[in-house]
Amino acid sequence: MKKIVTILGARPQFVKGAVLSRVIQKHKEVEEIIVHTGQHFDANMSAVFFEEMQIPKPKYNLNINGLNHGAMTGQMLEKIEEILLIEKPDAVVVYGDTNSTLAGALAAKKLQVKVVHIEAGLRSFNMQMPEEVNRILTDRIANLLSCPTEIAVSNLKNEGFDGFDILVEKHGDIMKDAVEFYSKVSKEKSTIISDLKLAKNEFVLATIHRQENTDDKEKLTNVFSALEEINKTKQVILPLHPRTKKMLEKYHLQPNITFIDPVGYFSMLELLKNCSMVITDSGGLQKEAFFNKKFCVIAREETEWKELEENRYATISGTNTETLVNDFNQFLTLDKSFTEELYGNNVGEKIYQSIKKLIQ
């Protein structure tokens, strides 16, 4: 039986990995070994999380976190290489743009093991973002690039990938499969809407955690001033990221909105299904808003998901208070169908078939 090693390090990667793991288990043709680097330690990554999401438990837990980028990536590279020498896989699968992604790809490439990069070709064109560096380097050394959108494919063509011995395929966005699958059970798994006494479409879901926002006092102040203003129209619910909490305390900011503790995936799905709109600096949440038919105000200067902006399902508002509030108000009155097929269907199966072909 052929074998793959999947490298996961952050919760969004576990959600995406769950889709492919389910397809692999269904076919029973490929053995999957899961490595959890521990990059984003999260209590929701406990045994219960794996059971609820039907994810095979990791065979290896590296518990590498809380370090600077170089130290973290270096330690992961060392440990993943040791695992690959033991497991001798036919391919290594990595997701997205984290340090875990780059470390997994580098370890595999140096051992001449094939690399599959899922969510390839995304670009923010902002080299100040560590994620941008990770995704560019991973794309260049991979053997199979699974692109979520036509724009991602175009990005790679513009970088000369047609001249490289690398398979570039558009499969669609694997997160779409996850949202569709887990939305059917999220209400049974989470009571967050009733616990918070929230009415459908009567609150705004916000997340602010990106370092470029949290570590800049002016930007953070502007964003939360906007959220306070919006809170006068609709209640703003914000799961508070530890980094954001730390910086709000440092800057002595006490915004008048509703903060809640970080939530698990099922609770986030329920918040998405029931909110009226999303305001975020997250990448993945922009798409999840679309999958749940919600408009999204992006508190950043760029987005990797340009098709959302082009089709007017999201808007880049930056961190200007007035712009954020104005864009929120415009979306309140906007009526759209959310019928465009921007991210494909049955994505996990398509990715699996390409991986099988790569390693056969």
Side-chain angles (χ1 to χ4, degrees):
M1 183 180 281
K2 295 289 186 177
K3 181 194 289 188
I4 64 170
V5 167
T6 297
I7 310 294
L8 304 172
R11 192 173 70 184
Q13 294 173 339
F14 279 87
V15 177
K16 296 166 193 170
V19 174
L20 188 58
S21 291
R22 218 168 28 250
V23 176
I24 291 168
Q25 289 173 315
K26 179 183 76 175
H27 286 287
K28 296 182 171 60
E29 301 167 311
V30 175
E31 180 186 3
E32 181 185 32
I33 303 294
I34 296 178
V35 177
H36 179 8
T37 65
Q39 179 171 345
H40 291 179
F41 176 75
D42 189 331
N44 289 308
M45 290 288 114
S46 65
V48 173
F49 181 91
F50 285 97
E51 288 160 14
E52 286 187 340
M53 296 201 73
Q54 302 173 37
I55 309 171
K57 289 186 177 66
K59 183 174 179 180
Y60 300 92
N61 283 280
L62 305 185
N63 195 31
I64 300 169
N65 54 67
L67 303 169
N68 290 331
H69 288 289
M72 186 184 295
T73 308
Q75 286 190 25
M76 289 176 183
L77 178 59
E78 179 185 4
K79 295 298 182 184
I80 292 169
E81 182 181 63
E82 291 173 6
I83 291 166
L84 298 184
L85 288 169
I86 294 168
E87 295 292 346
K88 297 179 171 56
D90 298 284
V92 166
V93 177
V94 295
Y95 290 83
D97 54 20
T98 66
N99 291 336
S100 302
T101 307
L102 179 59
L106 277 171
K109 193 68 176 179
K110 286 175 180 289
L111 292 174
Q112 299 184 345
V113 176
K114 290 177 179 176
V115 176
V116 178
H117 186 201
I118 297 174
E119 213 171 70
L122 295 181
R123 298 291 184 265
S124 68
F125 302 101
N126 178 3
M127 289 299 288
Q128 301 301 311
M129 292 173 57
E131 297 91 344
E132 184 80 349
V133 176
N134 289 341
R135 62 168 73 107
I136 288 172
L137 295 175
T138 301
D139 281 343
R140 184 59 187 86
I141 62 176
N143 299 86
L144 170 63
L145 297 177
S146 171
C147 297
T149 63
E150 194 59 49
I151 290 174
V153 174
S154 296
N155 289 337
L156 294 172
K157 286 183 177 178
N158 291 338
E159 292 173 17
F161 274 72
D162 282 346
F164 303 150
D165 185 21
I166 300 173
L167 285 168
V168 177
E169 299 185 0
K170 189 184 88 169
H171 294 126
D173 194 313
I174 199 166
M175 186 60 90
K176 184 167 186 278
D177 284 16
V179 169
E180 289 173 351
F181 182 84
Y182 291 115
S183 287
K184 297 170 186 172
V185 298
S186 60
K187 195 170 183 180
E188 301 165 22
K189 304 289 187 183
S190 172
T191 59
I192 192 165
I193 301 301
S194 58
D195 290 347
L196 295 175
K197 298 180 173 58
L198 297 172
K200 191 172 180 66
N201 294 325
E202 290 302 316
F203 68 95
V204 173
L205 174 62
T207 71
I208 302 295
H209 74 276
R210 196 170 288 276
Q211 197 166 348
E212 65 199 62
N213 285 336
T214 61
D215 292 6
D216 185 311
K217 184 178 180 180
E218 183 179 358
K219 287 183 177 180
L220 197 65
T221 302
N222 288 347
V223 171
F224 277 98
S225 294
L227 294 178
E228 278 195 294
E229 188 63 31
I230 290 164
N231 192 64
K232 296 174 185 176
T233 304
K234 281 188 184 286
Q235 183 181 10
V236 174
I237 303 291
L238 189 144
L240 188 55
H241 190 282
R243 181 194 299 129
T244 311
K245 181 180 181 182
K246 175 184 171 185
M247 300 313 284
L248 286 173
E249 291 171 353
K250 178 181 177 180
Y251 300 142
H252 306 292
L253 299 175
Q254 296 179 303
N256 183 28
I257 63 173
T258 303
F259 291 108
I260 61 174
D261 290 334
V263 298
Y265 183 61
F266 294 115
S267 290
M268 184 58 83
L269 274 180
E270 285 302 295
L271 289 168
L272 280 164
K273 284 196 283 185
N274 287 279
C275 73
S276 64
M277 200 183 304
V278 173
I279 301 173
T280 188
D281 61 6
S282 163
L285 201 60
Q286 297 170 34
K287 286 177 302 156
E288 290 178 285
F290 174 75
F291 298 148
N292 285 280
K293 297 180 168 54
K294 310 295 179 182
F295 292 115
C296 183
V297 175
I298 304 168
R300 286 172 56 189
E301 303 300 332
E302 70 281 308
T303 179
E304 295 81 2
W305 307 103
K306 294 178 176 59
E307 58 284 336
L308 290 175
E309 188 187 24
E310 290 173 359
N311 288 279
R312 198 71 180 102
Y313 291 111
T315 185
I316 296 173
S317 303
T319 56
N320 178 274
T321 301
E322 186 178 351
T323 305
L324 285 163
V325 174
N326 288 342
D327 288 343
F328 163 78
N329 287 327
Q330 284 188 24
F331 272 145
L332 275 182
T333 58
L334 190 62
D335 184 27
K336 280 181 71 71
S337 63
F338 287 85
T339 54
E340 279 96 340
E341 284 289 346
L342 301 179
Y343 295 105
N345 288 294
N346 203 23
V347 178
E349 179 67 30
K350 292 172 183 172
I351 293 173
Y352 170 77
Q353 293 299 336
S354 290
I355 291 173
K356 196 175 78 166
K357 189 174 178 182
L358 179 74
I359 63 178
Q360 67 184 11

